[in-house]
Each structure stands twice: as structure tokens, then as C-alpha cells.
RNA sequence: GCCCGGAUGGUGGAAUUGGUAGACACGUUGGACUUAAAAUCCAAUGGCCAUUGCGGCCGUGCGGGUUCAAGUCCCGCUCCGGGUACCA
């Protein structure tokens, strides 16, 4: 029978599940360790081999940590809301809950076959009312909170209301869109509606009329991170800018904390960089420019206040509120036309035409508050309404965009910064602007001669003294649009009374989705929930018809895992104080600007509320690379049904067609299988080479349409889960993208069969003995333990697998069948290949699972080498090898090397200049 | 454009962080076992030259440099992948 993986894996999977081997509870006698995989969306297509890659790695780590004595929390669940199930519902009428349930079932079956050590008792699903109750609850807290800049945290809105009643808002420093100052008297005199409108400007979850990314094809708005290149990330549909009333989360209030938090977490530099760019902090100054013959002032933002003397014009975003007021009658028509044109352009058009310079003169002039110069005010869509103040001073000499604009419209260019030691030149002859912050100021009043950095500080100080501006920091990070005009998501716990939104009482939660007759928007463009009958509170007030976006449910799930069945609170104090936060988080880096920002924000908010106990949710994060597909191709001679083998294809005019990789074995096509694959190939003819049809191949994305999807079930069927686990790890470094090549899996399968043979003979008799192990055997074992420990801790799983192979090869050569060696070997292997390890463990007479067997300790004494084989080089070139006792001194080594008979040939007629000896490394003899 | 990664045999990849380049596998070739195949085992396998023996030369995308010694460090490129995109 030999290594019968099928029965072994079935047996142990059942054992783990029946005995709840991986169930964990709070155990204060042990240190905790929290290993988490990114929340999967259960898609209808099921898993392909790329999906479990991260799960296998995290599972190895979780199992290893258990053996190192940690109490390991390793849960799994489902991010169950999502567009695919809803799109399917629209097409077929099948309720998304039904589709989702079905997909989850399939997903679970696939996961179970791989032998993961999840504590399934902690499973959560975002569409489960017991779960989303707390998503809704958090939303209510966000609604009832404001961000106090003085304490730098979220605080209850009630406190703010009291303060308004006492002192108005003059003493409040908040993250807010409220600009007008009011007194307590004014506040108390306001109507309920007026008060609520003002509070809305402070709430962290707030309703606002803003420009949104509207995707007509999906019938919903999208968050910034859900739009890529002007198209929706899901489905690739065009996205427009549209002004709509939407729920938003005031994540911008947390921009600085999100930035600072990156310093203390162990993520890859590239991911931190992605987040830093997304947050986009820039320091500069805001300066007020009076408008000639108007009372209005234009506030501009600049990172280069030192270049104020180089400003030659101003530019407003077409949407800027002052455009209408300041435009002169003569320019009115042109300006209106431009504004209209800019407004109607789609996001994609705008982005595609970035290099085209467009704009219009308003006829108005701004006044440079430092120089008194009059600057023509233009509008142009290269200035964005959403960033800074939507207005700039243009310094064409030192900003490439202003430069292009000035060139195009023939506006003056004045140089005010120069590289040290250079002479000024005429900017009108320049090919490009000088944007660098390196340099010295010229033609700039009191800052002339200063270095840029000092000049910036000096100007900020000056404008602050003059009261015409101040140093400010701007962030690119925008508030997150939090409502979707879709059905399949969490309903908002919000109702409207006289048009004013109010949160439901917490006792009303969870608010479940209503039944609807169709999953499409209504005829008047209302979201699907508007179709529901009786979508109102028991008092009869209408409920919010938007639903929450995908990231709502996935932003706090790691906290819920700590205490998933708690129906009184999100999670208990006790649970969060024990589990705290995620120690190791594994997933793809495509979540850099989405989930990973939102979850950090969500966590910080809960931290401010005193619920979360750590202000960063994910301490260490590893991005697993993607597994790419390896596509196979056949070459059809154009216009025929004849296929020519790869190496002969050049002789014909051919067309390369994807062929199902299951019909190809080592690039050789299964001709019969191919003919039966699709009806059109039934009568296919072939031109063979050496009697075979050789296919071409290419590495590309794994996808159904490319017929290169490898699904794990087939491989498990043929080789078993342990082989699959080992092979996925063996493919290469975890964080690198790598192509999938099924061929190599044979190698790890052979390894497991060889391993098996260390324990059993051909007749399945256990051949493990109690004989004392030799030093050589012990060295093999301890070398392995040391290496595996090191590799797991460094997430170098691929080299770990080869270490196992080396050890098993060596033990096979030694014909080693000793328990003293083979028992620790089984434990060491058990995190990688848990099924076979359990089987071996039980064959060795153990009755408990290997899961909690302590990880063996390696000992230095077994690793000692008596001799070392030195590579001896001459002038850096290795010439021969010399075995010497390991404990020789440098001088003795040098002597031995020079005296070795192989050395003579290289020393002949040469002078020894120098001998470099690095003990246990190398000997290098320099001759000339 | 800007910001990150990366480039090592026919293939996936290793290399204790400056110290024997190509571990471990796949593939290929040859051999053993077998009536045969599968499975298994053994051997060879970076390139070129030599092969009568030793052996020699070249070699980690390209060009320079530092060093006794460079895949690894520095400078300058090329190509590939990812992120971002008028963010003032």
C-alpha cells in the first residue's frame, strides 16, 4: 500500500474536526499569538491554486507557534457581501443570500481538504445579522462622534452639543466642514433642523452633498480606491463625477495618525509607501490673495511659499465658488463655456488628456499680498477642486504644470530660485521649469539669498505675522464615501424624521435587509431598498435606502473573531485585553489603499472609544505573491482545422489558441482529449514532431478564459493535501509572484514517499527502532531543526521544504530508522505536512494529536564539525579544496594552505603578497 | 512623469548578507530492475575548449568602480513587474 495519502488525510481531517483540536479559548497561562488571513470573498468560481498560498503559509506559522507553546488564535470567515452575487441576482432573480450560502459551502469544502488548522467555531460572515449588528452599531457610534483636534481623538457628540449650548463653537477645534462661528445664544435659538445640519458638519459618519464617483453600469457610487484609471475596479465600467448626497466617513481626521502609525508596524516598505502616498501629506502654507475691486479673498495652498515672488498668475478650479463672482462680464461667456465643458468630461477623458493644456481667463486680478503685484486669475481643470483650497498661485518658473500653462497661454515667467553658483538665465528660453527644492532665492525681497528651506520658514513666519496666511499641512486622503445604491450590503441604522437623519436605537439592531421584488434600482433611480414595502421604523419614519460598502464589514472583523458569539457587545473587554491585535496578517497587497486603510481607521476609532486596546490592528503583515498561470497554446493553420506542433509552426501562417492545461502533460498535447474538448475540434488534424504534438506556453494571469486555471481539488486527488501544501511553499519565496507549473509537484510527492519509507517497509510494517542514534544522524536532525526554526520565523518556507528534502535524502542514505531521529522529524514536519505527520506520530505510539507536541530543540553540540573543507583561492579564484581540522589557528591554516601540494603549481615563480584567512570560510592567497 | 520591486542554468529557485555561484527540485540524457510499462534506484547535467590524464577559460541583465575577494557594496544605463497620476 505504501503512502496512502487519501485515507490518511481523510482520517486526520475527521479527527481534527471531531475533537475540535484547533479550538482556542482565553488561556492566561500561555502567551497569545494571533495569525490571520485576509477575509476572503467566497466567489462562485471556487479556489484556484493561488488562493491557498497565503493560507498555507499562515497555517504553517500558526501550527509552529502552537508547538512553541503559544495559544494561537487562527480563525476564518467570509466577507460575504459583494457585487458578483448581486449582479447574479439581478440577472437571474436568485437572492444573493442563496448564492452566497452556496459559494461559502463550496469554499469551505475546498478549504477543509487542505488541512488548515482554523478554529471554525469562531467563523464569522459579514451578512450574518449577529455579525452585522456590530457593523451597524459601529456606524451609530461614528454618527454620534466628532473628532476633537485638541485631544486628537474621537469624542461623543453629546459633549459637543453641551459645549455649543454653553459657548457656541468658538472654542472648538474639530475636524469639520463648519466654517461659521456661532454663539451659544445663536445655537440655542436654532431650530432642530438647523442644529442637526450643523452637527452633521462635525459627525465622523456624516451625510453630505459631494462629488462622487458614479458608476452608471453598476448603478452605484464608488470610493476612490474602488476606481482604477477612471474605471470601476469591479467590472471595469466607466465612472463619472457627479454631485450626490452621500454618507461619508471622516477618515481624513485620522490622516496624521494613520501616517504616524506606520512607523510602529512591521509591514513591507512598499506597502507602507503605498499608504504614505495615498495619505499624501504635504506641508506648506495657505495664503489669502485679495481680488482687485472685490471684497473677496482667494485662499491658495502652496508647498512653496518661498516662490511667492515668482507668482505670475493664479488659477482656480472650474468648480471654485468664486468663479462666478469674480468673472468679468466680457469673459463670462467663455468662462461659462469652459466650466460647462470641464464639468461634462468623464473622469477617464480628463485623465487621458492630462497633457492637453486648457483654461480660460476670468478677467479678474488677484493681488499678491507680499509684492502687491496684480496677477490675472484663470480657471483651469489642472487645478482640482478637491485638493487644498482649489486655488493656486502659479509659479511657472518652478512648477512644471504652471510652466506648461504659462507657455501655452503666453504668460510671464519669473525665476526666483537658482542652483547655487549658477547665473540666472531668461526663463522664456527654458525647456522646462526648475522644480527642485535645492537652491537659493533671487529677486525675492527679504528672502533673497536664502536657501529654499530657510526661505520657506521665513515666509511662513512673515505671512503669519501679517495675518495674511499661515503654515498648513494638507493631506490627499479624502473622506470615504460610505453609501452604495445597492441591495446586497448592510442597511444603515438610520431613519429620517422631517428629512433629518437619526440613528435607530441600539435595541433595534440588527436592522435586516428587507425583501424586494427586484434587485435593480427603482424607476426614479432610487436604490433597490426603496422597492421594499414597509421600509420604515415602527413609528412609520422612512429608513435609509442606501446600503454600506464592502469595506464596512471587513473593517473590524479581526476584533469580532476574538469574541464572535457575544450578543451583548462587539467583543468583551476580557477577550480584547487577552488577544489585543493581530500579530501576523497575511494577504495580498492589492488592499493597500482600501481595506488596510479603512481597517486601521476603524480600529483607531474603536480605540478612541476605549474598545480596542491597541491603536494598530495588524502588527506584522506579509503580502503573498500571486501565482500566475502557465497557459498552453496550440497553433492552428489559418483558415483550416489543422494544428501544427510548436517547433514547426514557423513554416505556416498560424494562430495561437489557448488550450486547456489539463490536456497537456509536459507540453505534449493529448490529441484524443483535445478532439473531445470542444465540438469545433472534433475533426482536428495535427502536424506532429517526433510523433508528438508539442504545445507552446506562456506565463500570464490565471483565468478561466485562458484555460490555465489549476484547481487544488484535482491535485489533492492525485497527490494529497500534504503534497500540495509542500509544493505551494516550495515554488519560491512567499512574497514573490511566480508561475504555476504542475510538473514540479512530482518532486515533493516523491519526497513524502521517501519519508514514508524511513518509517515503514514495503509491507507497511513499522521499521522504527529504539537504537541509539549516531552522531551523523543527530547532526542531520539538529541541522534540520535549526534550519526549519529559522526559516519559519523568517517566512522562508521554500528553503524550509528543501531542508526537509536534504534531511530525508541524507537519512535515507544512512538507512536511518531510529525513533530518536524520526520522532522529532515528524514533529518538525508537522506544520508543513500535518496529515502524514499525525499518521507517523500515531504509528510511533502516540495517542494525542501532534499539534501540541513541543517543537524540538536543536543543540549546538550536535552541529559541531571537526573539520572544515576550505576553498583555497589564488587572487580570488578558487583552485582547490583543502580539508583541515576546524580548530586550527589562522597561522596554522595559512601554513597548511601554503604547504599543500596543490598550491605549489600556483606559487611557482610568484611572490606571495598576502594571505587572507577567514576561519571556516575561505583562504585567499594573493600572489604576483 | 514620480515612487517602489525585480533580472542568477532549459525551468522554479538557493547562496549563512562581502567569502566555494547554481543548494533543493523539475526537465533532459544514460544506466539498473521489468516480458513491457508504471513505480523505484543509480549516474551525468551552466557554457565553451580539452578530454590521453590532469585540466583551462568564461559566467549572476549591460557598462564602469571599490575590495585580497562582488550575485551581494557604489556610480551610470537597459529591460520587466507593481503602485500612483495634473495633489500645487
Amino acid at each position: 500500500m505504501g503512502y496512502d495519502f487519501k485515507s490518511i488525510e481523510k482520517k486526520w481531517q475527521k479527527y481534527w474536526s471531531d475533537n475540535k483540536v484547533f479550538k482556542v479559548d482565553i488561556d492566561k497561562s500561555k502567551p497569545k499569538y494571533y495569525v490571520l488571513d485576509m477575509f476572503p470573498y467566497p466567489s462562485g468560481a471556487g479556489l484556484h491554486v493561488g488562493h491557498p498560498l497565503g493560507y498555507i503559509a499562515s497555517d504553517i506559522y500558526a501550527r509552529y507557534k502552537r508547538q512553541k507553546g503559544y495559544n494561537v488564535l487562527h480563525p476564518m470567515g467570509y466577507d460575504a457581501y459583494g457585487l458578483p452575487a448581486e449582479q447574479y441576482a439581478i440577472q437571474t432573480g436568485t437572492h444573493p443570500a442563496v448564492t452566497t450560502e452556496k459559494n461559502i459551502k463550496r469554499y469551505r469544502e475546498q478549504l477543509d481538504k487542505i488541512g488548515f488548522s482554523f478554529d471554525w467555531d469562531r467563523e464569522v460572515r459579514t451578512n450574518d445579522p449577529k455579525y452585522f449588528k456590530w457593523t451597524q452599531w459601529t456606524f451609530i457610534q461614528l454618527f454620534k462622534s466628532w473628532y476633537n483636534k485638541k485631544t486628537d481623538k474621537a469624542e461623543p457628540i453629546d459633549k459637543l452639543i453641551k459645549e455649543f449650548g454653553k459657548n457656541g463653537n468658538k472654542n472648538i477645534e474639530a475636524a469639520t466642514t463648519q466654517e461659521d462661528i456661532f454663539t451659544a445664544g445663536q445655537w440655542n435659538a436654532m431650530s432642530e433642523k438647523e442644529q442637526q445640519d450643523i452637527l452633521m458638519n462635525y459627525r465622523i459618519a456624516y451625510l453630505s452633498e459631494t462629488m462622487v464617483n458614479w458608476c452608471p453600469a453598476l448603478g452605484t457610487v464608488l470610493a476612490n480606491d474602488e476606481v482604477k484609471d477612471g474605471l470601476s475596479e469591479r467590472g471595469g465600467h466607466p465612472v463619472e463625477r457627479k454631485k450626490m448626497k452621500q454618507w461619508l466617513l471622516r477618515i481624513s481626521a485620522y490622516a496624521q495618525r494613520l501616517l504616524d502609525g506606520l512607523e510602529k508596524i512591521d509591514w513591507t516598505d512598499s506597502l507602507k509607501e503605498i499608504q504614505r502616498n495615498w495619505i499624501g501629506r504635504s506641508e506648506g502654507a495657505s495664503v489669502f490673495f485679495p481680488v482687485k475691486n472685490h471684497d473677496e479673498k482667494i485662499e491658495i495652498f502652496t508647498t512653496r511659499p518661498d516662490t511667492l515672488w515668482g507668482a505670475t498668475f493664479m488659477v482656480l478650479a472650474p468648480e471654485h465658488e468664486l468663479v462666478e463672482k469674480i468673472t468679468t462680464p466680457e469673459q463670462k461667456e467663455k468662462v461659462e463655456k469652459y466650466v460647462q465643458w470641464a464639468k461634462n468630461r468623464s473622469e477617464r477623458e480628463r485623465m487621458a488628456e492630462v497633457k492637453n493644456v486648457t483654461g480660460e481667463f476670468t478677467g479678474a486680478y488677484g493681488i499678491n499680498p507680499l509684492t502687491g503685484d496684480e496677477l490675472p486669475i484663470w480657471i483651469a481643470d489642472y487645478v482640482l477642486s478637491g485638493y487644498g483650497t482649489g486655488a493656486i498661485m502659479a509659479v511657472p518658473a518652478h512648477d512644471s504644470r504652471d510652466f506648461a500653462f504659462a507657455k501655452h497661454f503666453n504668460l510671464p515667467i519669473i525665476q526666483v530660485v537658482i542652483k547655487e553658483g549658477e547665473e540666472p538665465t531668461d526663463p522664456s528660453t527654458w525647456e522646462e521649469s526648475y522644480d527642485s527644492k535645492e537652491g537659493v532665492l533671487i529677486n525675492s525681497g527679504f528672502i533673497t539669498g536664502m536657501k529654499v528651506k530657510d526661505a520657506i520658514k521665513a515666509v511662513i513666519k512673515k505671512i503669519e505675522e501679517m495675518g495674511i496666511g499661515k503654515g498648513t499641512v494638507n493631506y490627499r486622503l479624502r473622506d470615504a464615501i460610505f453609501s452604495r445604491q445597492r441591495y446586497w450590503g448592510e442597511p444603515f441604522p438610520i431613519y429620517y424624521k422631517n428629512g433629518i437623519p437619526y440613528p435607530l436605537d441600539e435595541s433595534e439592531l440588527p436592522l435586516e435587509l428587507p425583501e424586494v421584488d427586484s434587485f435593480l434600482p427603482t424607476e426614479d433611480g432610487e436604490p433597490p431598498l426603496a422597492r421594499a414595502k414597509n421600509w420604515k421604523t415602527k413609528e412609520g419614519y422612512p429608513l435609509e435606502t442606501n446600503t454600506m460598502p464592502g469595506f464596512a464589514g471587513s473593517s473590524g472583523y479581526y476584533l469580532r473573531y476574538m469574541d464572535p458569539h457575544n450578543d451583548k457587545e462587539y467583543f468583551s473587554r476580557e477577550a480584547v485585553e487577552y488577544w489585543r491585535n493581530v500579530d501576523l496578517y497575511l494577504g495580498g497587497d492589492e488592499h493597500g489603499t482600501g481595506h488596510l486603510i479603512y481597517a486601521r481607521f476603524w480600529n483607531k476609532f474603536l480605540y478612541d472609544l476605549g474598545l480596542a486596546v491597541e491603536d494598530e490592528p495588524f502588527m506584522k503583515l506579509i503580502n503573498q505573491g500571486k501565482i500566475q498561470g502557465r497557459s498552453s497554446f496550440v497553433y492552428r493553420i489559418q483558415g483550416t482545422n489543422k494544428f501544427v506542433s510548436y517547433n514547426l509552426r514557423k513554416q505556416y501562417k498560424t494562430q495561437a489558441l489557448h488550450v486547456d492545461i489539463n490536456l497537456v502533460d509536459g507540453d505534449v498535447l493529448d490529441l484524443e482529449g483535445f478532439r473531445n474538448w470542444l465540438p469545433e475540434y472534433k475533426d482536428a488534424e495535427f502536424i506532429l514532431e517526433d510523433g508528438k504534438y508539442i504545445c507552446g506556453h506562456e506565463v500570464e494571469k490565471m483565468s478561466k478564459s485562458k484555460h490555465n486555471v489549476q484547481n487544488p481539488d484535482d491535485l489533492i486527488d492525485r497527490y494529497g493535501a500534504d503534497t500540495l501544501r509542500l509544493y505551494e511553499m516550495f515554488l519560491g519565496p512567499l512574497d514573490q509572484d511566480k508561475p504555476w507549473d504542475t510538473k514540479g509537484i512530482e518532486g515533493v510527492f516523491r519526497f513524502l514517499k521517501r519519508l514514508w519509507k524511513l518509517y515503514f517497509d514495503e509491507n507497511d510494517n513499522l521499521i522504527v527502532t529504539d537504537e541509539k542514534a549516531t552522531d551523523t544522524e543527530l547532526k542531520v536532525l539538529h541541522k534540520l531543526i535549526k534550519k526549519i526554526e529559522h526559516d519559519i520565523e523568517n517566512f522562508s518556507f521554500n528553503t524550509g521544504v528543501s531542508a526537509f528534502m536534504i534531511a530525508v535524502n541524507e537519512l535515507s542514505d544512512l538507512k536511518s530508522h531510529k525513533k530518536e531521529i524520526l520522532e522529532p522529524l515528524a514533529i518538525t514536519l508537522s506544520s508543513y505536512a500535518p496529515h502524514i505527520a499525525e499518521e507517523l506520530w500515531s504509528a510511533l505510539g502516540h495517542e494525542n494529536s501532534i499539534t501540541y507536541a513541543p517543537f524540538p530543540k536543536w543543540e549546538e553540540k550536535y552541529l559541531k564539525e571537526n573539520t572544515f573543507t576550505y576553498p583555497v583561492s589564488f587572487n580570488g579564484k578558487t583552485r582547490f579544496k583543502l580539508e583541515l581540522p576546524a580548530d586550527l589557528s589562522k597561522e596554522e591554516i595559512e601554513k597548511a594552505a601554503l604547504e599543500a601540494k596543490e598550491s605549489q603549481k600556483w606559487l611557482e615563480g610568484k611572490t606571495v603578497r598576502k594571505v587572507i584567512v577567514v576561519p571556516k570560510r575561505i583562504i585567499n592567497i594573493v600572489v604576483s
Side-chain angles (χ1 to χ4, degrees):
Chain A
M1 194 68 216
Y3 168 45
D4 178 16
F5 59 85
K6 277 200 178 144
S7 65
I8 292 172
E9 293 183 355
K10 212 171 142 197
K11 170 178 160 190
W12 290 105
Q13 282 164 11
K14 184 166 187 306
Y15 175 90
W16 295 331
S17 158
D18 289 352
N19 294 284
K20 293 193 185 286
V21 171
F22 310 118
K23 187 169 162 45
V24 276
D25 286 304
I26 292 173
D27 176 355
K28 290 180 178 153
S29 71
K30 283 182 176 178
K32 70 97 187 186
Y33 201 89
Y34 189 171
V35 182
L36 184 63
D37 295 294
M38 279 187 194
F39 221 16
Y41 173 75
S43 85
L47 293 172
H48 67 60
V49 290
H51 296 113
L53 184 75
Y55 303 160
I56 295 170
S58 59
D59 194 60
I60 291 172
Y61 202 80
R63 286 175 180 271
Y64 169 78
K65 278 288 182 185
R66 285 188 195 102
Q67 295 187 319
K68 280 284 189 180
Y70 288 85
N71 194 28
V72 176
L73 178 57
H74 188 38
M76 181 49 89
Y78 306 98
D79 188 10
Y81 288 122
L83 285 177
E86 186 166 10
Q87 292 295 74
Y88 186 73
I90 290 168
Q91 284 159 21
T92 65
T94 314
H95 196 285
V98 174
T99 316
T100 304
E101 179 67 35
K102 195 176 123 226
N103 291 350
I104 286 178
K105 206 164 156 257
R106 162 109 177 94
Y107 215 86
R108 176 66 189 272
E109 278 168 10
Q110 288 190 296
L111 289 176
D112 279 348
K113 280 198 222 167
I114 307 175
F116 294 123
S117 62
F118 296 125
D119 176 1
W120 282 109
D121 285 358
R122 290 176 183 262
E123 179 196 298
V124 301
R125 301 177 184 192
T126 50
N127 67 327
D128 178 351
K130 294 205 268 312
Y131 178 87
F132 70 66
K133 174 177 178 178
W134 302 105
T135 310
Q136 292 173 332
W137 180 86
T138 309
F139 180 81
I140 292 176
Q141 310 315 309
L142 287 160
F143 181 83
K144 289 181 174 170
S145 301
W146 65 290
Y147 199 86
N148 186 346
K149 283 188 175 174
K150 283 187 191 160
T151 55
D152 208 12
K153 59 185 246 192
E155 291 182 3
I157 199 107
D158 293 346
K159 202 178 131 185
L160 189 68
I161 295 172
K162 269 192 204 135
E163 170 67 16
F164 286 171
K166 254 192 254 163
N167 301 307
N169 69 346
K170 67 175 190 296
N171 299 324
I172 295 294
E173 280 178 43
T176 178
T177 38
Q178 176 71 26
E179 284 173 1
D180 298 336
I181 302 292
F182 52 82
T183 63
Q186 287 169 315
W187 170 259
N188 292 325
M190 282 179 205
S191 69
E192 167 78 4
K193 169 118 180 57
E194 286 166 329
Q195 287 189 344
Q196 288 297 329
D197 282 350
I198 284 181
L199 287 174
M200 201 51 103
N201 292 336
Y202 289 89
R203 297 181 190 278
I204 293 181
Y206 65 101
L207 198 55
S208 168
E209 182 98 9
T210 41
M211 286 303 247
V212 296
N213 307 301
W214 171 253
C215 179
L218 294 174
T220 187
V221 303
L222 298 169
N224 286 337
D225 67 285
E226 292 168 324
V227 181
K228 294 264 140 78
D229 300 325
L231 299 171
S232 67
E233 197 177 25
R234 289 259 177 200
H237 306 293
V239 172
E240 300 166 1
R241 306 285 293 171
K242 199 173 164 184
K243 204 156 201 184
M244 284 177 79
K245 201 158 205 186
Q246 296 293 321
W247 285 100
L248 290 109
L249 298 185
R250 206 178 295 279
I251 186 170
S252 59
Y254 284 82
Q256 189 60 45
R257 282 169 66 188
L258 288 167
L259 195 60
D260 294 341
L262 293 172
E263 300 303 321
K264 60 177 173 194
I265 52 182
D266 184 8
W267 293 14
T268 59
D269 290 340
S270 78
L271 192 54
K272 285 189 189 180
E273 204 53 34
I274 287 171
Q275 294 218 334
R276 280 191 200 105
N277 290 339
W278 191 257
I279 296 166
R281 180 191 157 99
S282 55
E283 290 177 28
S286 70
V287 187
F288 287 93
F289 281 58
V291 181
K292 192 181 166 191
N293 302 329
H294 280 268
D295 294 337
E296 312 289 347
K297 281 184 176 163
I298 297 174
E299 185 182 9
I300 60 105
F301 174 73
T302 177
T303 55
R304 294 294 299 274
D306 59 309
T307 60
L308 261 161
W309 279 262
T312 56
F313 57 102
M314 297 178 75
V315 187
L316 306 184
E319 301 91 341
H320 198 282
E321 53 171 12
L322 289 180
V323 171
E324 220 178 308
K325 285 188 192 166
I326 62 170
T327 300
T328 58
E330 306 83 74
Q331 295 299 110
K332 201 173 174 63
E333 201 181 321
K334 281 184 182 166
V335 166
E336 272 174 6
K337 210 171 136 203
Y338 183 79
V339 170
Q340 207 51 38
W341 171 81
K343 200 186 277 176
N344 288 338
R345 277 204 309 171
S346 75
E347 263 300 89
R348 205 147 69 114
E349 274 168 1
R350 200 180 64 79
M351 287 168 71
E353 292 164 16
V354 157
K355 292 286 163 272
N356 295 348
V357 178
T358 64
E360 201 59 63
F361 179 46
T362 61
Y365 289 85
I367 295 164
N368 187 326
L370 277 184
T371 65
D373 291 347
E374 290 186 7
L375 308 174
I377 301 171
W378 288 67
I379 59 166
D381 72 348
Y382 84 90
V383 173
L384 305 175
S385 62
Y387 183 78
T389 58
I392 61 157
M393 64 168 190
V395 185
H398 306 291
D399 181 284
S400 53
R401 297 152 303 185
D402 298 345
F403 185 82
F405 196 83
K407 279 268 178 189
H408 189 263
F409 290 107
N410 240 328
L411 295 159
I413 304 171
I414 304 172
Q415 183 178 15
V416 289
V417 180
I418 191 160
K419 259 190 212 159
E420 238 170 318
E422 280 186 8
E423 288 300 312
T425 53
D426 179 5
S428 65
T429 64
W430 292 3
E431 292 286 313
E432 55 184 13
S433 57
Y434 180 62
D435 293 9
S436 171
K437 278 196 171 183
E438 298 300 311
V440 180
L441 274 296
I442 56 171
N443 306 326
S444 294
F446 74 96
I447 57 169
T448 299
M450 286 188 193
K451 285 193 177 157
V452 168
K453 270 192 184 160
D454 304 326
I456 290 175
K457 280 187 205 142
V459 171
I460 290 175
K461 197 168 159 242
K462 181 83 178 173
I463 57 173
E464 284 178 354
E465 280 167 13
M466 293 170 68
I468 54 167
K470 59 178 193 300
T472 48
V473 175
N474 245 299
Y475 300 92
R476 212 182 68 123
L477 185 71
R478 304 295 156 75
D479 286 345
I481 298 164
F482 199 65
S483 39
R484 298 291 179 273
Q485 294 66 48
R486 303 287 295 196
Y487 175 78
W488 192 227
E490 299 87 347
F492 281 83
I494 291 287
Y495 66 92
Y496 291 86
K497 190 162 120 191
N498 306 323
I500 304 168
Y502 293 95
L504 289 178
D505 191 85
E506 286 169 24
S507 64
E508 307 275 328
L509 302 182
L511 175 64
E512 298 194 32
L513 278 170
E515 288 302 319
V516 289
D517 54 3
S518 157
F519 300 101
L520 286 167
T522 66
E523 281 71 32
D524 346 322
E526 291 282 302
L529 291 197
R531 293 174 175 272
K533 294 188 188 92
N534 281 320
W535 187 237
K536 42 182 92 120
T537 63
K538 25 181 208 293
E539 296 80 15
Y541 297 118
L543 287 159
E544 169 70 59
T545 54
N546 284 294
T547 53
M548 296 189 198
F551 64 84
S554 59
S555 289
Y557 76 110
Y558 54 91
L559 289 163
R560 184 64 181 169
Y561 276 139
M562 295 174 182
D563 192 10
H565 306 298
N566 195 329
D567 54 4
K568 305 221 162 39
E569 49 194 341
Y570 203 158
F571 43 84
S572 72
R573 191 78 203 162
E574 190 196 9
V576 75
E577 279 184 347
Y578 181 74
W579 297 112
R580 312 197 69 83
N581 57 4
V582 176
D583 295 286
L584 176 65
Y585 197 25
L586 249 120
D589 65 357
E590 66 272 21
H591 298 107
T593 54
H595 164 63
L596 289 173
I597 288 259
Y598 297 126
R600 291 181 62 220
F601 156 72
W602 197 271
N603 188 81
K604 284 180 192 299
F605 173 71
L606 293 172
Y607 179 77
D608 289 350
L609 258 52
L611 289 171
V613 294
E614 297 283 350
D615 72 339
E616 282 295 335
F618 315 121
M619 292 317 287
K620 182 172 179 69
L621 184 139
I622 293 187
N623 297 122
Q624 88 264 24
K626 288 179 203 43
I627 291 194
Q628 293 139 331
R630 186 182 188 273
S631 308
S632 284
F633 294 89
V634 290
Y635 301 88
R636 183 169 64 193
I637 301 174
Q638 274 182 19
T640 71
N641 203 11
K642 219 174 199 179
F643 295 83
V644 54
S645 187
Y646 179 75
N647 293 301
L648 305 172
R649 74 189 191 287
K650 293 262 161 70
Q651 300 164 25
Y652 306 85
K653 254 195 143 170
T654 61
Q655 185 185 7
L657 301 165
H658 280 96
V659 58
D660 191 329
I661 52 163
N662 294 305
L663 298 171
V664 182
D665 183 19
D667 287 339
V668 178
L669 182 67
D670 169 4
L671 301 182
E672 222 18 68
F674 181 72
R675 287 200 183 98
N676 294 330
W677 180 39
L678 296 173
E680 51 183 302
Y681 298 142
K682 204 171 97 232
D683 302 314
E685 294 174 71
F686 303 95
I687 300 174
L688 307 177
E689 51 182 308
D690 302 331
K692 291 178 210 155
Y693 188 96
I694 308 294
C695 297
H697 61 85
E698 213 171 286
V699 171
E700 47 190 2
K701 191 176 172 312
M702 202 171 267
S703 87
K704 226 174 182 173
S705 65
K706 296 182 164 65
H707 302 293
N708 62 359
V709 174
Q710 179 73 57
N711 110 356
D713 310 64
D714 298 345
L715 293 166
I716 289 171
D717 214 44
R718 267 163 73 190
Y719 302 103
D722 284 337
T723 297
L724 177 77
R725 290 169 63 107
L726 284 165
Y727 185 55
E728 293 227 2
M729 293 299 100
F730 188 58
L731 278 177
L734 183 61
D735 53 1
Q736 245 170 53
D737 289 353
K738 52 224 158 208
W740 178 263
D741 182 5
T742 304
K743 208 70 200 157
I745 201 169
E746 299 275 352
V748 277
F749 188 52
R750 277 176 209 146
F751 155 72
L752 286 180
K753 287 193 283 190
R754 271 202 301 278
L755 171 83
W756 186 261
K757 284 190 194 161
L758 291 173
Y759 297 74
F760 297 99
D761 67 12
E762 307 87 89
N763 303 316
D764 297 330
N765 297 312
L766 189 72
I767 49 169
V768 178
T769 69
D770 286 327
E771 255 180 285
K772 189 93 192 77
T774 63
D775 284 352
T776 321
E777 289 168 323
L778 285 165
K779 191 189 281 178
V780 172
L781 176 69
H782 285 256
K783 202 171 70 185
L784 175 73
I785 299 168
K786 184 180 179 183
K787 174 86 175 144
I788 295 304
E789 185 177 290
H790 175 268
D791 285 354
I792 292 180
E793 280 171 6
N794 289 286
F795 307 97
S796 179
F797 300 105
N798 55 327
T799 52
V801 178
S802 51
F804 283 122
M805 289 174 168
I806 292 168
V808 167
N809 287 348
E810 286 176 353
L811 293 173
S812 300
D813 288 346
L814 293 167
K815 300 197 168 35
S816 184
H817 302 291
K818 293 164 188 164
K819 192 173 180 181
E820 193 183 344
I821 303 296
L822 297 184
E823 196 170 271
L825 173 64
I827 303 172
T828 312
L829 182 69
S830 65
S831 54
Y832 279 79
H835 309 86
I836 192 172
E838 289 276 21
E839 184 69 17
L840 298 172
W841 183 248
S842 102
L844 292 173
H846 295 277
E847 282 176 7
N848 292 329
S849 167
I850 199 168
T851 306
Y852 296 98
F855 194 84
K857 286 195 168 58
W858 55 272
E859 289 181 52
E860 196 62 52
K861 65 177 177 191
Y862 297 120
L863 299 174
K864 278 225 175 85
E865 302 272 352
N866 298 324
T867 63
F868 183 82
T869 307
Y870 281 93
V872 181
S873 5
F874 288 84
N875 294 339
K877 283 190 176 150
T878 311
R879 294 304 177 182
F880 65 93
K881 280 164 195 163
L882 185 61
E883 186 169 337
L884 294 172
D887 52 4
L888 284 193
S889 71
K890 270 194 176 191
E891 292 70 29
E892 288 169 312
I893 295 168
E894 179 175 336
K895 187 158 171 274
L898 289 171
E899 283 172 1
K901 69 172 195 300
E902 296 96 324
S903 291
Q904 304 320 310
K905 171 174 162 191
W906 303 99
L907 296 171
E908 217 177 283
K910 305 261 169 69
T911 321
V912 176
R913 297 264 158 210
K914 200 170 176 186
V915 181
I916 286 112
V917 174
V918 184
K920 300 221 185 141
R921 282 279 152 84
I922 198 172
I923 302 166
N924 189 15
I925 300 167
V926 186
V927 294
S928 61

